[in-house]
Amino acid sequence: MYNVQCTKYEVTKDKGQRTMNEKIENKEQLAWLWVPTLYFAEGVPYFLVNQISVAMFTTLGVANDSMAFFTSLIYLPWVIKPFWAPFVDLIKTKRIWIISMEALIAITMILTLISIPHPEPEAILTMTTPVKLFYLTLIWFVIMAFASATHDIAADGFYMLALSPKRQAEMIGWRSVFYRLSNVFCNSALVAIPGIVVTKGYQMTTGWQVTMAVAAVIYILITIWHFFTAPKPIDDRPATNTSAKEIARGFIDAFYTFFSKKGIVLALCFMLLYRLPEAFLVKMEAPFLLGSADQGGMDMPLQTYGVVYGVIGVCFLLLGGILGGRYISRVGLKRSLWWMAAAITLPDLAFVYLSVCRPTNIALIASAIAIEQMGYGFGFTAYMMYLVFFSEGEYKTTHYALCTGFMALSMMLPGMAAGKLQLMLGYRKFFVFVIACCTLTLIVTYFVRRQVDEDYGRSTK
């Protein structure tokens, strides 16, 4: 009798477990409802703050030195986000953080729309619009940047909590695709809107206000969508058993072990210098392409810029990244480093060509940008793989977060100085200076290769 009861209990237990597993699987099938929009939402404010702001300030007449300094400075939240990441675990749930940050980002988009000034047409033409007119706009951009960086932390954590490892692996490619689609959307559709509005007889400021309005409406819809579609995982709860003091102590220990790692000085040099040429170049690409011929620019309309840089450029950037990942998996990180260092530096010659020859053929201009972007995408893959390599060991997650902080710093500091350097040198000499910086990339690559294991990153298949 006892055995029969036990058997019945076990059958009931197995049925219950199967039912629970089926429910989990059904919920995970709904990941298609929220994963793509979550990572699209992650990308939009990032590209809005770090790239569209450059185009906006340039077309409204802010000088390159002020534009580059302030738009690079608002990159700071992504540099320092590892320092408040532990507290996102401690306070509320990841789901609440995601939805509240999306709501805050939508609000700051509306406030940015209202705050965009109306410079005098003459100031825009002569690039003498005082940056002080944009101080309130910059404040909203800064708040948007902090909200976006916090959203990144919560989104990545929520992704791991809401999906099983198997489902995470299935969705990770699509998560990357939709993040990159946000890049295409921002640098093509949103950038083109002001140009279209201007052709209808309105001011450039009105065009950028329409751009921010479109972004805000999209973000409001995404926030509402996630409120209804984002699941409520059982494990998504604040770390009530862990005090803030304990989290801080753990982070300090992770911080200490990071800076105690063997080869840390060389690793930091690599993180800060490998992308140095691109860090200078990326801040001046939009001003050069959009700037008037009198000031050394290519005088490209915003709609054309949106297609050439925002669609063609980004597509080739993605292609370079895909090829880079496949190449590393085939030969390993160590053997690929030289080729990737060459790929991230030599194509910068495309901008030397554009500034010297000044072609008017759009196909030639688009080809030059495509080559530069593809090279950057290919070479950047080695950089990201090295961050993973250096983060291996205890506190891997925190160490990787610190690496990405230095990655952001490597773009912020050169970007702050890029505008002043360009005004001192002019576009042609500035791009030659960028090529000269490539030597530092090659030097740190030479030394860091010695640290990397022979087969690291190579597929075993």
Side-chain angles (χ1 to χ4, degrees):
M1 184 69 178
Y2 176 76
N3 290 337
V4 171
Q5 287 177 340
C6 283
T7 303
K8 284 183 179 179
Y9 170 76
E10 288 170 0
V11 169
T12 305
K13 184 179 178 183
D14 289 342
K15 271 188 181 178
Q17 186 63 47
R18 282 198 301 271
T19 303
M20 180 66 71
N21 290 340
E22 286 172 3
K23 285 181 179 179
I24 292 172
E25 286 177 9
N26 289 337
K27 283 185 178 180
E28 291 196 343
Q29 290 303 317
L30 297 177
W32 282 106
L33 291 177
W34 60 270
V35 170
T37 51
L38 179 65
Y39 282 91
F40 185 85
E42 185 174 300
V44 169
Y46 176 85
F47 295 113
L48 193 65
V49 168
N50 292 299
Q51 294 184 7
I52 291 182
S53 65
V54 174
M56 184 180 81
F57 279 48
T58 298
T59 55
L60 291 178
V62 178
N64 283 351
D65 54 350
S66 298
M67 176 280 296
F69 179 83
F70 285 103
T71 58
S72 295
L73 192 60
I74 54 180
Y75 203 80
L76 182 64
W78 285 277
V79 176
I80 62 176
K81 73 176 182 180
F83 293 97
W84 75 83
F87 297 97
V88 175
D89 286 327
L90 186 67
I91 303 168
K92 301 296 182 182
T93 66
K94 305 291 189 302
R95 188 179 186 276
I96 290 174
W97 276 106
I98 288 169
I99 293 170
S100 59
M101 288 303 103
E102 287 175 355
L104 179 57
I105 289 167
I107 291 168
T108 55
M109 287 175 176
I110 295 169
L111 294 171
T112 303
L113 179 162
I114 297 169
S115 70
I116 298 174
H118 288 72
E120 295 294 329
E122 186 179 345
I124 294 176
L125 286 173
T126 57
M127 298 295 288
T128 55
T129 301
V131 74
K132 65 182 180 181
L133 292 179
F134 291 85
Y135 282 167
L136 185 56
T137 306
L138 283 165
I139 288 172
W140 301 132
F141 271 137
V142 168
I143 296 173
M144 191 189 304
F146 274 102
S148 178
T150 306
H151 182 274
D152 292 355
I153 297 165
D156 291 339
F158 185 77
Y159 179 82
M160 291 185 283
L161 289 171
L163 301 176
S164 65
K166 179 184 175 183
R167 191 62 172 151
Q168 288 177 44
E170 291 172 353
M171 295 298 297
I172 195 165
W174 289 106
R175 139 184 173 171
S176 177
V177 165
F178 277 86
Y179 181 82
R180 295 303 177 187
L181 281 176
S182 70
N183 188 353
V184 176
F185 171 72
C186 288
N187 283 294
S188 57
L190 291 186
V191 166
I193 288 171
I196 296 169
V197 170
V198 168
T199 61
K200 303 296 182 182
Y202 296 95
Q203 292 182 347
M204 183 61 74
T205 296
T206 305
W208 285 113
Q209 288 175 324
V210 173
T211 290
M212 296 305 302
V214 170
V217 169
I218 289 171
Y219 229 82
I220 289 168
L221 293 174
I222 286 174
T223 305
I224 295 169
W225 177 255
H226 288 159
F227 182 81
F228 289 105
T229 63
K232 297 179 180 179
I234 297 173
D235 293 332
D236 184 21
R237 54 181 182 268
T240 52
N241 296 327
T242 308
S243 66
K245 186 176 180 180
E246 288 172 323
I247 289 178
R249 188 184 296 116
F251 183 76
I252 290 170
D253 189 38
F255 195 88
Y256 174 78
T257 56
F258 177 80
F259 286 99
S260 301
K261 281 195 170 194
K262 183 180 178 181
I264 181 64
V265 174
L266 179 57
L268 293 179
C269 287
F270 183 79
M271 291 177 203
L272 294 173
L273 297 176
Y274 181 78
R275 292 202 297 166
L276 182 65
E278 193 66 25
F280 281 119
L281 180 66
V282 72
K283 197 55 72 174
M284 287 297 109
E285 285 177 336
F288 172 64
L289 295 171
L290 295 170
S292 67
D294 293 340
Q295 294 164 347
M298 296 296 291
D299 213 6
M300 187 180 286
L302 270 171
Q303 302 95 306
T304 307
Y305 173 83
V307 173
V308 171
Y309 191 80
V311 178
I312 297 173
V314 172
C315 286
F316 274 85
L317 176 72
L318 293 176
L319 177 61
I322 293 168
L323 293 176
R326 294 190 67 177
Y327 186 64
I328 288 177
S329 68
R330 183 178 175 184
V331 304
L333 177 60
K334 187 166 188 171
R335 290 179 61 189
S336 65
L337 263 170
W338 272 125
W339 293 105
M340 293 194 164
I344 206 170
T345 53
L346 295 180
D348 292 347
L349 287 166
F351 277 85
V352 176
Y353 161 74
L354 292 177
S355 63
V356 172
C357 299
R358 307 190 56 78
T360 55
N361 187 308
I362 292 298
L364 278 175
I365 298 171
S367 297
I369 291 171
I371 291 169
E372 187 272 329
Q373 288 290 290
M374 185 173 175
Y376 177 60
F378 186 77
F380 181 62
T381 314
Y383 184 83
M384 293 303 294
M385 197 68 193
Y386 178 78
L387 298 191
V388 174
F389 166 75
F390 193 74
S391 302
E392 293 287 354
E394 193 180 8
Y395 300 113
K396 181 176 181 177
T397 302
T398 305
H399 287 181
Y400 185 76
L402 288 168
C403 286
T404 58
F406 280 103
M407 175 179 74
L409 188 64
S410 75
M411 297 299 286
M412 187 184 88
L413 295 178
M416 292 171 70
K420 190 170 287 294
L421 278 170
Q422 186 278 318
L423 290 179
M424 289 171 54
L425 300 173
Y427 282 115
R428 189 179 304 177
K429 291 181 180 179
F430 175 79
F431 293 135
V432 172
F433 168 77
V434 168
I435 295 300
C437 290
C438 294
T439 56
L440 292 173
T441 300
L442 299 176
I443 288 170
V444 292
T445 299
Y446 171 78
F447 286 106
V448 91
R449 280 186 79 250
R450 301 178 180 184
Q451 285 186 338
V452 181
D453 298 336
E454 191 68 39
D455 294 324
Y456 188 83
R458 185 188 299 174
S459 174
T460 56
K461 291 182 180 180

